Amino acid sequence: MIFLKFDRRIFQYFDWTLLALVLAICAIGILNIYSAGFSVSESHFPFYVKQIQWILLGLFFMITAFLIDYRVICQAAYLIYGISIALLIIVFFYGYTTHGSQRWISTGFFAFQPSELMKLALIIVLARYFDNHNSNEPYKLRELFIPFVIILIPCLLILRQPDLGTALIIMLLFASIIFFMGVNWKSVAIALVSSLVLLPLGWYFLKAYQKERLLTFLNPEHDPLGAGYHVIQSMIAIGSGGVFGKGFLNGSQTQLKFLPEQQTDFIFSVFAEEWGFIGALVLAIMFMSLILWGLKIALHSRDLLGTIIAFGITALISWEVFINVGMVLGVLPVVGIPLPFLSYGGSAMVCLMTAIGLLMNVSVRRFILQS
Amino acid sequence: MEKHFSLRNGPEPADFRQKLKIVIALLLIIFSVLLVRLWYLQVIKGEELRQRSENNSVRFRKIKPLRGLIMDRNGLVLVDNRPSFDVLYMPHKGKDHEAVIERLKNIYKSRSLELSYDQPFPKKVKPYLPVKLEKNVSMEKVAIVETNALALPGVYVDVSPVRLYLDGEMMAPVIGYTGEISKEELEKANDEHASGDVLGKNGVEKYLDAYIRGRRGAELVEVNVYDKEIKNLGRIDPIPGYNIVLTIDADLQKAAWQAFAGKPGAAVALDTRDGSVLAMVSSPSFDPNLFNSGISYELWDKMQNNPLNPLSNRAISGQYPPGSTYKLIIAAAALEEGIITPEQKIFCNGSFELGNRTYRCWRKKGHGYVDLHRAIVESCDVYFYTVGKMLGVDKIAQYAKLFGFGKATGIDLPHEKSGLIPTKEWKMARTKEIWQVGETVSISIGQGFNLVTPLQLANAYSAFANGGTLWRPHLIKRIELTDGSIYKEFLPEKKSEFALSKKTIDILGRALWGVVNEPGGTGSAARRLNSDVCGKTGTSQVVGLPESDKARREKKISAFQRDHALFVCFAPLKSPEIAIAVILENAGHGGSVAAPIARKILDAYFEGKKKLKPAQVVAHHQLPDKLQD
């Protein structure tokens, strides 16, 4: 088995740039979570300590995902997908509820969010599918039916939780991959028209708070105490950071807890308040480098499978970064998507690290697979 | 296309590079939109927004809910709420912490008051986390702080509701107390709790905390530079907790509590008809109001290390040998098993020989020939040594368990103990030794390994009195919403039933009546005209004392080794209503010290009943009318 043979070249050609970038962003995240929890009297295990634990656990999974050849992993694509679906169904029946939505499986030691795993599973399963059904012609609607079903099942399960943000990310991910694979423009037009027809229907799926968030986005000042309050406070926090920021642990918006969910969804506001435009610019460049680096890996992959995996992972990270930052900057509605590597959250961190492992996997095997 | 193919030596989707260019272009567009927005917020509007954040005069404030009231069975409020004023200090407002505190001290001093914060001012303060300077201050101090706001930047007064325990000591072991959530509790809790929340820490307050505590509210207020509210921008009202109605009768409780006069012991009064707790006293007690705003370390230490353990509820967690009160169970077992007949007489010469050991009767000169009735009335030990030995330990245990001993009663309070009823098997498992007949002799008069709680005793006698129904004792009658409507009613619950023959009940009932009402009975101190009190005295040895009673008589033993005095009773003989167990620790003889306490509880019960009767009749007449509507 060439796939599992331990090859010293995987160290020789190891993608240190990628690792360094990710770890640097994680380090910023830890500092930031420390600051966000600084004035909150927390329990014995503050969030930043837990986040470090999650990163360490994530590194373990990253190494695992790196060492096993991605072609071997993709052999198990449908199995991974099936397990993820099963976990989502378990959540549906037995998951526990926080903030009005049922997203978690509690194992006793920690809670786990299967929708995070689902994102990764979908990238793998779509890569496998399109690799098997490769064509040089743009795909037609009929040909996209199966991948559409693959995406629809988890999407509906996640919408039912309800977790609008994750469902949206999955749909964007799907759209990105089929765009990348090439799609017949007539098909796109048909899909767009039919979804426009279905849109009012979707409105009924939304919970009251989600409708309110969308309405608030359309008119933020209409409810300055409710949903709009969060966005306004977030913009005040970011803006008041100015060019150089207020300094570490000195963001008054953060420390006075004006920011909602400041460890998770609004973590970027904490950072922008304390580190200013300069800090935010550095962070943005780091993210942009990570994204472009991911695209580079996609481009240089030896096979289509690797290309799609690398592109999918990059697309996932990009969408999450853009939507989260857009949300806290007040240019997108508040949909509750965490910022990759920065927001506090175990499941997301572990899954993202695994994704990075896969990315490294594709990156290094370019040098090894000389078919 | 061709070129790429050959270069990369693998298949490639259509327009791969072309697409990548589009992707990168899109990324750059989004990227620059976000950066422009960031620039706009941080650089163009930066100064303005910084102003807004500095003057961010909007405060998000949590509002503590009022805990539910706790009332006795007649709706008399036992636990209420009152406002408590705390003095806090917000570090980022004051530039020089020490100076501000010093100034506050001086202002206090000029009015001959003192700053009473117990912890020294923390060396490293978090700028945005308020420091509690003083808790629960007087109105005078509130006025001083408010009027000197200008001189005391960062110092402000915060109001929050705290518990007000009326007749606190009388109810404390039962109702418990409240306090701020501890770090350990916070660790365990998930979303619903935050630091600073008040929780029930013991007794009813803890057992029903989820119902009592209510839900936190919040408000957004606009404040001026001194943190004084100028405008309320929105508010979610806190939801007060549900009110609790206990089955306890405050009058009965008070009579029982006063009867103890601070001496260590416990008393439980149960309604024999449904197992509801009418009174439950544990003495000595503590003032639960002291815990409201955080108890000082010294005081807590003192309470914890007090050998009399005022924080525990002896009625459910105190375990004592039942002494002679256990003879009811031995007698019932012997009659039911046909080991004795009521008429059979046993000679008591004051001692019982077994092997080379001598077991004494409490009356040194003996009781002479005694039948079952006299043996119970005069509490003859030799009679029960003989009967108990014939029964054997396991038979005794079997009956003891029927009466509910050896197992927690399941009362609706935390920390109930289960007591101990020994069996041969138990001893083997525990000590790897064989059961000795001498030990059976000891447990026949309720000594030895036997351990019971006062609640179990009362419940056992209650079960005897009502003809064999062992109720699950309960002291929570119902949970009410704030408007008085019923949220949840707790109905009596039968734990088990046992059938004693009518004859057994009749014989033993009369014997227990004799204990109180016949000449020579040991419980005559509980006698009440027209109430037909039936009871049994008991004196339980704390430690195995030297066989010679000399030392005991001469009171040469330390206070903690003296006997516990017990008295258990029910009344009236025909159609019993109330069962009472009283224990006084290290107080000597049950008949002389415990029975009088039971008597006072009985007095309160029967006198109170006279007053209540008319009201109950009226209530019964009203019900059917309403149902017909």
Side-chain angles (χ1 to χ4, degrees):
Chain A
M1 284 287 281
I2 181 176
F3 303 143
L4 289 174
K5 209 176 72 183
F6 205 74
D7 194 326
R8 91 193 143 69
R9 282 175 300 175
I10 66 173
F11 292 110
Q12 190 180 342
Y13 297 112
F14 185 78
D15 196 340
W16 292 106
T17 318
L18 181 57
L19 183 68
L21 262 175
V22 167
L23 288 184
I25 298 176
C26 284
I28 291 175
I30 293 166
L31 273 183
N32 217 15
I33 290 170
Y34 175 76
S35 174
F38 183 65
S39 67
V40 189
S41 31
E42 287 178 81
S43 47
H44 288 314
F45 272 112
F47 282 118
Y48 75 93
V49 175
K50 290 189 196 160
Q51 184 80 340
I52 292 173
Q53 292 172 349
W54 290 125
I55 291 172
L56 292 177
L57 184 67
L59 280 171
F60 170 77
F61 280 97
M62 177 197 275
I63 292 165
T64 312
F66 166 68
L67 287 177
I68 307 171
D69 191 313
Y70 60 89
R71 290 175 298 176
V72 176
I73 293 176
C74 283
Q75 297 284 310
Y78 292 104
L79 180 69
I80 296 170
Y81 176 75
I83 292 172
S84 307
I85 291 280
L87 288 173
L88 278 178
I89 291 172
I90 292 174
V91 168
F92 183 76
F93 287 109
Y94 304 107
Y96 78 82
T97 308
T98 51
H99 301 302
S101 77
Q102 192 170 348
R103 298 180 187 178
W104 307 84
I105 293 178
S106 180
T107 60
F109 295 104
F110 59 93
F112 171 70
Q113 212 175 344
S115 51
E116 293 293 336
L117 176 64
M118 197 63 201
K119 296 176 193 165
L120 205 54
L122 283 175
I123 293 171
I124 293 170
V125 86
L126 288 176
R128 166 87 188 268
Y129 182 86
F130 285 113
D131 185 43
N132 285 353
H133 300 80
N134 188 15
S135 105
N136 272 340
E137 292 297 305
Y139 289 87
K140 296 202 183 62
L141 207 53
R142 201 161 11 90
E143 294 165 312
L144 290 175
F145 181 71
I146 291 173
F148 181 69
V149 171
I150 288 176
I151 217 91
L152 191 69
I153 299 168
C155 234
L156 289 178
L157 282 169
I158 290 168
L159 270 176
R160 276 290 280 135
Q161 293 181 350
D163 185 352
L164 190 61
T166 306
L168 180 75
I169 286 289
I170 287 178
M171 287 187 278
L172 286 172
L173 184 64
F174 180 59
S176 314
I177 290 177
I178 60 168
F179 162 77
F180 190 65
M181 296 306 299
V183 63
N184 189 304
W185 286 108
K186 223 159 58 190
S187 303
V188 174
I190 296 171
L192 271 180
V193 169
S194 50
S195 52
L196 275 179
V197 172
L198 287 172
L199 207 59
L201 224 138
W203 184 253
Y204 293 102
F205 269 106
L206 298 183
K207 289 232 162 169
Y209 79 96
Q210 293 170 326
K211 292 181 187 173
E212 196 177 328
R213 279 178 178 178
L214 283 175
L215 288 177
T216 307
F217 169 66
L218 297 174
N219 181 14
E221 303 281 334
H222 104 117
D223 181 18
L225 290 184
Y229 170 78
H230 293 167
V231 182
I232 293 170
Q233 291 301 342
S234 167
M235 292 197 299
I236 293 177
I238 294 168
S240 66
V243 180
F244 300 106
K246 294 179 184 170
F248 187 51
L249 302 181
N250 272 325
S252 62
Q253 290 285 107
T254 303
Q255 304 300 340
L256 282 172
K257 285 166 271 171
F258 280 108
L259 289 172
E261 309 280 335
Q262 57 188 26
Q263 326 256 13
T264 54
D265 291 359
F266 284 83
I267 194 79
F268 183 78
S269 319
V270 173
F271 184 78
E273 180 183 23
E274 297 190 343
W275 300 91
F277 183 73
I278 303 288
L281 191 65
V282 169
L283 185 64
I285 290 171
M286 287 168 86
F287 269 122
M288 203 59 203
S289 316
L290 179 64
I291 291 165
L292 291 175
W293 194 259
L295 290 178
K296 187 192 85 105
I297 291 171
L299 179 67
H300 292 301
S301 167
R302 287 285 167 202
D303 57 4
L304 180 62
L305 193 65
T307 301
I308 305 175
I309 290 177
F311 180 78
I313 290 169
T314 311
L316 174 69
I317 295 172
S318 320
W319 282 120
E320 290 194 339
V321 170
F322 288 147
I323 293 180
N324 177 279
V325 174
M327 169 179 103
V328 300
L329 287 176
V331 292
L332 289 174
V334 179
V335 283
I337 286 173
L339 187 56
F341 309 108
L342 257 77
S343 288
Y344 171 77
S347 310
M349 180 55 86
V350 171
C351 289
L352 278 165
M353 289 300 231
T354 314
I356 294 297
L358 269 178
L359 207 52
M360 289 171 170
N361 194 336
V362 176
S363 171
V364 81
R365 280 186 174 76
R366 160 164 77 101
F367 299 101
I368 298 172
L369 306 176
Q370 310 280 2
S371 44
Chain B
M1 283 295 289
E2 287 299 312
K3 207 173 93 194
H4 299 153
F5 252 93
S6 54
L7 241 181
R8 291 171 4 94
N9 154 42
E12 180 175 280
D15 315 322
F16 183 84
R17 291 218 161 203
Q18 219 54 39
K19 291 253 178 56
L20 215 53
K21 276 181 195 155
I22 300 175
V23 168
I24 291 173
L26 278 173
L27 282 175
L28 287 175
I29 291 169
I30 301 176
F31 187 65
S32 23
V33 166
L34 293 180
L35 274 187
V36 166
R37 174 71 177 179
L38 205 57
W39 175 266
Y40 169 76
L41 285 177
Q42 296 199 296
V43 181
I44 297 176
K45 296 196 80 175
E47 204 41 49
E48 183 194 327
L49 287 173
R50 177 181 281 262
Q51 280 293 317
R52 245 178 109 177
S53 87
E54 265 159 27
N55 303 337
N56 208 331
S57 50
V58 180
R59 292 278 176 277
F60 181 79
R61 201 180 275 166
K62 288 179 198 160
I63 313 170
K64 283 185 184 159
L66 289 175
R67 286 177 77 83
L69 304 177
I70 300 179
M71 293 173 274
D72 88 332
R73 59 162 49 216
N74 303 314
L76 183 83
V77 175
L78 300 169
V79 184
D80 205 336
N81 298 292
R82 67 172 177 81
S84 161
F85 298 92
D86 301 336
V87 177
L88 282 83
Y89 174 68
M90 181 62 106
H92 84 275
K93 290 266 174 180
K95 295 283 174 268
D96 185 352
H97 314 321
E98 304 295 331
V100 172
I101 307 286
E102 202 52 45
R103 219 171 300 151
L104 180 64
K105 273 186 189 163
N106 288 337
I107 297 172
Y108 274 171
K109 215 176 264 170
S110 68
R111 312 271 185 102
S112 57
L113 290 168
E114 259 186 67
L115 185 65
S116 60
Y117 64 70
D118 13 48
Q119 316 116 309
F121 195 79
K123 282 236 168 65
K124 266 179 114 180
V125 293
K126 297 181 174 183
Y128 297 101
L129 192 70
V131 180
K132 224 171 231 178
L133 295 180
E134 280 185 289
K135 290 167 178 171
N136 201 7
V137 297
S138 63
M139 283 314 289
E140 193 182 359
K141 282 189 176 176
V142 172
I144 291 173
V145 172
E146 303 263 302
T147 49
N148 291 290
L150 278 172
L152 300 168
V155 180
Y156 64 101
V157 175
D158 193 39
V159 195
S160 57
V162 296
R163 272 311 212 193
L164 177 61
Y165 295 94
L166 307 150
D167 278 321
E169 276 197 278
M170 168 178 112
M171 295 298 303
V174 176
I175 288 184
Y177 55 93
T178 55
E180 261 183 32
I181 188 167
S182 67
K183 274 199 168 156
E184 292 77 33
E185 286 166 323
L186 203 56
E187 194 96 307
K188 269 187 270 168
N190 34 25
D191 273 5
E192 55 186 326
H193 288 306
S195 70
D197 278 5
V198 170
L199 288 187
K201 297 281 187 169
N202 207 348
V204 176
E205 292 267 34
K206 178 174 180 169
Y207 191 81
L208 292 181
D209 189 59
Y211 299 98
I212 302 178
R213 67 168 169 251
R215 194 169 320 142
R216 214 188 300 127
E219 66 183 347
L220 278 177
V221 287
E222 206 178 322
V223 292
N224 63 15
V225 273
Y226 308 114
D227 264 329
K228 291 293 288 175
E229 177 179 337
I230 18 184
K231 197 172 148 203
N232 199 317
L233 301 174
R235 175 183 167 103
I236 303 163
D237 283 321
I239 301 168
Y242 297 155
N243 296 337
I244 308 298
V245 178
L246 302 178
T247 62
I248 284 180
D249 183 309
D251 292 335
L252 222 57
Q253 180 82 9
K254 193 166 221 158
W257 167 249
Q258 285 171 348
F260 274 92
K263 280 175 288 200
V268 179
L270 296 175
D271 190 325
T272 59
R273 293 160 299 186
D274 61 4
S276 55
V277 178
L278 299 172
M280 182 180 277
V281 162
S282 176
S283 170
S285 176
F286 60 94
D287 183 359
N289 292 304
L290 295 175
F291 290 83
N292 276 336
S293 37
I295 186 164
S296 75
Y297 180 75
E298 297 98 273
L299 197 56
W300 173 249
D301 205 45
K302 221 170 103 189
M303 281 195 193
Q304 284 273 293
N305 296 326
N306 186 336
L308 291 178
N309 203 359
L311 292 172
S312 80
N313 182 357
R314 289 170 155 74
I316 59 166
S317 51
Q319 303 185 96
Y320 310 90
S324 297
T325 61
Y326 204 53
K327 286 173 181 166
L328 173 68
I329 283 84
I330 307 286
L335 283 175
E336 289 292 296
E337 295 292 317
I339 281 174
I340 46 159
T341 62
E343 297 78 25
Q344 195 176 329
K345 289 194 174 168
I346 289 169
F347 185 73
C348 164
N349 64 358
S351 66
F352 178 84
E353 309 286 334
L354 183 85
N356 54 3
R357 267 195 78 172
T358 305
Y359 296 83
R360 289 172 190 283
C361 185
W362 66 271
R363 184 193 263 180
K364 240 191 145 193
K365 60 180 186 194
H367 290 90
Y369 278 102
V370 283
D371 62 3
L372 178 60
H373 186 84
R374 291 314 301 171
I376 291 177
V377 170
E378 292 178 22
S379 201
C380 174
D381 290 339
V382 170
Y383 184 95
F384 282 93
Y385 291 145
T386 316
V387 173
K389 189 175 153 251
M390 288 193 278
L391 272 168
V393 55
D394 287 346
K395 247 331 174 248
I396 296 175
Q398 180 196 327
Y399 277 84
K401 281 172 185 165
L402 281 185
F403 279 87
F405 292 113
K407 203 163 63 183
T409 65
I411 191 173
D412 34 16
L413 281 177
H415 311 309
E416 191 194 0
K417 291 272 166 62
S418 60
L420 174 66
I421 296 301
T423 59
K424 283 180 186 161
E425 207 181 317
W426 169 83
K427 196 189 168 195
M428 192 43 108
R430 184 65 180 270
T431 64
K432 304 270 181 288
E433 276 171 39
I434 271 184
W435 183 268
Q436 306 291 321
V437 185
E439 289 167 329
T440 311
V441 172
S442 286
I443 62 166
S444 306
I445 59 158
Q447 305 288 84
F449 295 115
N450 279 327
L451 286 176
V452 304
T453 67
L455 178 65
Q456 284 175 331
L457 263 184
N459 207 29
Y461 272 65
S462 161
F464 174 80
N466 65 29
T469 302
L470 199 62
W471 294 101
R472 194 179 102 131
H474 67 283
L475 52 72
I476 293 146
K477 198 177 169 72
R478 60 173 178 269
I479 300 177
E480 285 181 353
L481 303 182
T482 325
D483 62 7
S485 59
I486 293 172
Y487 172 76
K488 191 170 180 180
E489 177 113 44
F490 294 90
L491 297 172
E493 193 184 308
K494 276 184 194 174
K495 260 176 73 110
S496 60
E497 281 177 293
F498 58 90
L500 297 178
S501 75
K502 211 166 175 303
K503 210 175 135 209
T504 304
I505 293 177
D506 189 52
I507 292 164
L508 294 180
R510 273 190 291 118
L512 293 177
W513 183 86
V515 171
V516 179
N517 297 289
E518 280 176 17
T522 52
S524 56
R527 197 180 301 163
R528 241 188 83 86
L529 264 181
N530 305 326
S531 297
D532 285 329
V533 179
C534 309
K536 185 71 198 78
T537 56
T539 304
S540 72
Q541 288 169 15
V542 178
V543 283
L545 288 173
E547 288 300 308
S548 106
D549 279 13
K550 216 173 145 197
R552 199 182 318 181
R553 258 190 326 236
E554 289 167 7
K555 297 193 174 175
K556 273 185 179 165
I557 43 181
S558 87
F560 284 109
Q561 288 175 329
R562 246 174 266 155
D563 296 346
H564 297 323
L566 291 100
F567 185 73
V568 194
C569 65
F570 61 87
L573 174 61
K574 278 170 191 153
S575 64
E577 298 169 6
I578 180 171
I580 300 171
V582 175
I583 183 160
L584 258 147
E585 288 178 7
N586 317 113
H589 200 271
S592 49
V593 292
I597 292 181
R599 164 71 199 263
K600 282 178 186 158
I601 301 173
L602 288 165
D603 283 349
Y605 178 76
F606 285 106
E607 273 154 31
K609 224 178 88 173
K610 264 183 254 160
K611 278 183 280 173
L612 276 180
K613 238 178 187 146
Q616 280 171 344
V617 172
V618 171
H620 274 286
H621 277 293
Q622 269 175 354
L623 263 173
D625 291 343
K626 274 195 177 164
L627 288 173
Q628 276 161 13
D629 287 352

